[in-house]
Amino acid sequence: MTGLVVLDVFISLIFIFLLYSLFATTIVESVTSSFGSRGKNLLAGIDRMLSDDGNTNRFNYTFLNLFIAFRGNGFTEAFYKHPSIKFLAQKGLVSLATNRPSYIAPERFSAAMIDLLRSGDYDDEGENISASLGIIPRFDLKELQGRIDQLESDISQLDAKKDLFEFEAFSEELAYLKGDLQKKANRSSADILQPFTIDKETNYQLKSLWFDAANDIDKFKALIEKWYNEQMDRIVGWYKRKVTFLTFLVGLGLAITFKVDTIQIASDLSKNEDMRAMFVAGATQFLAQHPDSLDVQTFTQQKQYMDSVKSEIAKYNAVLSSQKEETNTWPGFGYLITAFAISLGGPFWFDLLNKLVKIRSSLQMPVAAKEDEKKMVTVSTKAVG
């Protein structure tokens, strides 16, 4: 094969990969949107942050997480039931539909975390955070009630006339403690936050951040946001790998359904000039319609285009039927190559196709010039003769 023929074969194959990649991407986007896959992946990432290794569900870090998210530990559940997080989600009609937020801003994450940690009966928010992290004991209302009972007992043993000063002091303290108890009891009863426990390793991480912030809530909030942003980079990577694997499976299904065997098609293209010309012309026209980037097309539009390409390929089946028996020495391997190519995504093949078509255009110009030169030599030779 000449260099231009090899280039045309590559352009044709890349154009086919591009079309089926777009088709597969449309299917994958429809599936992930229907199952709320982004929200489920985010749940897996946050559960990884707020749970120790032994308390996380490992299925959340697999391909299955695109379709189902297993419930996290108590701290994760309390976080997702916090009002500022819960109302970010858009519930679907089906239980598997979107029911988790697909994105949580770092500021909202840190605000919900601090609101959970500062829930308690101390008057100072910093003390409540320290108590939630186990640095100091939690405030015990029973202890306050015990002090009230003791004061009432002491007052009952005093003579109001003889011990007037002590009686008034005890009575004033008793009134204050009863008011404080009532206030704390009302705050606890009105508390809508779900009780939670923090795993040991997670508690150590949060405690380290609290110490680094020197018990300053604003600095603590900033450190939590930084921690969250670092984890989000990993969460995005997890999602891309899961979607890539799903795209591979969808691509394999398309390859088998439409019989897109890369090895067979490459052989057919190398032997059939009309087939190469059809795909090269289609690729050139496609790039002319999308000069800068890929436009989002509907599923129906892409399927119609796939059907038209399939019908064009079918025209050559009769001519190439005898060659297929010789070429197909690796049954199924060509489908795997196609599926892998589709999993690389449309933008990858679009950029590569754009470059190769430009190279082909630059190569055609010298070839055309040489043909014109040959014609001129032939005409001049005839004239001399």
Side-chain angles (χ1 to χ4, degrees):
M1 289 190 293
T2 63
L4 194 59
V5 172
V6 173
L7 184 60
D8 285 350
V9 171
F10 273 107
I11 289 175
S12 301
L13 284 174
I14 291 171
F15 184 46
I16 293 172
F17 293 155
L18 171 62
L19 294 178
Y20 280 98
S21 294
L22 295 176
F23 195 20
T25 300
T26 303
I27 296 174
V28 169
E29 284 295 328
S30 300
V31 171
T32 54
S33 297
S34 300
F35 283 89
S37 299
R38 292 184 184 274
K40 290 177 172 59
N41 182 71
L42 181 60
L43 167 63
I46 291 179
D47 187 54
R48 183 68 186 88
M49 293 178 66
L50 305 183
S51 304
D52 290 356
D53 288 336
N55 295 330
T56 57
N57 195 310
R58 298 194 178 276
F59 283 102
N60 281 344
Y61 314 123
T62 66
F63 159 75
L64 296 175
N65 178 244
L66 294 176
F67 306 100
I68 184 170
F70 295 93
R71 300 174 69 86
N73 71 345
F75 195 21
T76 306
E77 285 298 307
F79 172 80
Y80 269 94
K81 288 183 179 180
H82 190 279
S84 66
I85 303 300
K86 180 175 66 174
F87 295 118
L88 290 176
Q90 179 182 357
K91 279 219 167 221
L93 296 176
V94 187
S95 60
L96 290 177
T98 307
N99 55 8
R100 302 283 187 180
S102 59
Y103 174 74
I104 299 175
E107 298 80 10
R108 188 178 291 269
F109 176 84
S110 61
M113 286 286 292
I114 289 177
D115 195 43
L116 287 171
L117 294 173
R118 70 184 176 189
S119 60
D121 295 318
Y122 283 108
D123 294 329
D124 182 71
E125 292 183 347
E127 290 182 342
N128 284 323
I129 292 176
S130 295
S132 296
L133 297 177
I135 300 172
I136 62 175
R138 286 187 175 273
F139 193 94
D140 191 356
L141 291 179
K142 293 181 180 180
E143 182 180 344
L144 180 58
Q145 182 64 54
R147 290 171 60 190
I148 292 174
D149 294 341
Q150 183 63 43
L151 273 175
E152 289 178 340
S153 176
D154 292 342
I155 291 174
S156 65
Q157 296 177 8
L158 293 176
D159 188 335
K161 294 182 179 180
K162 293 181 179 180
D163 305 314
L164 180 61
F165 179 77
E166 193 173 2
F167 182 85
E168 289 180 352
F170 281 7
S171 298
E172 185 177 342
E173 184 180 1
L174 179 62
Y176 173 80
L177 292 178
K178 283 186 175 181
D180 190 33
L181 177 63
Q182 183 65 36
K183 181 177 67 175
K184 294 181 186 305
N186 290 337
R187 184 167 58 193
S188 297
S189 62
D191 194 1
I192 62 173
L193 301 179
Q194 177 177 316
F196 60 89
T197 56
I198 306 177
D199 291 344
K200 184 177 179 181
E201 295 172 3
T202 306
N203 185 77
Y204 181 83
Q205 169 68 10
L206 290 171
K207 192 185 297 184
S208 299
L209 296 179
W210 181 239
F211 287 149
D212 290 342
N215 294 0
D216 186 304
I217 294 180
D218 291 335
K219 292 181 180 178
F220 186 47
K221 185 175 185 292
L223 290 174
I224 290 177
E225 290 174 11
K226 180 182 178 182
W227 179 39
Y228 176 73
N229 284 326
E230 291 172 352
Q231 181 67 9
M232 277 301 298
D233 293 337
R234 298 183 181 90
I235 293 173
V236 171
W238 295 352
Y239 185 74
K240 288 181 178 179
R241 286 192 291 271
K242 294 171 187 175
V243 169
T244 298
F245 184 68
L246 176 60
T247 306
F248 174 82
L249 295 180
V250 171
L252 184 60
L254 290 175
I256 295 173
T257 301
F258 292 102
K259 296 183 174 18
V260 188
D261 186 328
T262 297
I263 297 175
Q264 181 64 56
I265 293 176
S267 175
D268 295 346
L269 287 169
S270 65
K271 298 171 183 176
N272 193 297
E273 183 178 356
D274 292 337
M275 191 176 182
R276 291 196 305 273
M278 181 192 74
F279 280 110
V280 171
T284 305
Q285 182 181 1
F286 184 88
L287 292 176
Q289 295 173 351
H290 308 81
D292 299 321
S293 60
L294 294 170
D295 296 329
V296 178
Q297 294 179 315
T298 64
F299 180 88
T300 304
Q301 290 174 327
Q302 292 186 20
K303 188 176 186 308
Q304 288 174 349
Y305 199 89
M306 291 296 112
D307 292 339
S308 66
V309 172
K310 187 66 180 175
S311 63
E312 290 294 330
I313 296 176
K315 296 178 182 179
Y316 303 99
N317 284 344
V319 178
L320 302 172
S321 58
S322 60
Q323 300 171 358
K324 288 182 179 180
E325 295 297 330
E326 300 174 4
T327 306
N328 194 16
T329 56
W330 297 86
F333 188 63
Y335 294 147
L336 291 175
I337 296 176
T338 303
F340 175 75
I342 291 174
S343 69
L344 295 177
F348 174 82
W349 295 117
F350 179 81
D351 292 339
L352 188 56
L353 181 65
N354 211 348
K355 293 175 181 178
L356 290 182
V357 169
K358 288 179 181 179
I359 292 174
R360 186 181 189 278
S361 300
S362 64
L363 290 176
Q364 279 186 311
M365 294 175 61
V367 172
K370 287 183 180 180
E371 292 293 333
D372 293 339
E373 185 179 346
K374 286 181 180 179
K375 289 180 181 179
M376 292 178 62
V377 172
T378 304
V379 171
S380 60
T381 303
K382 290 181 180 179
V384 172

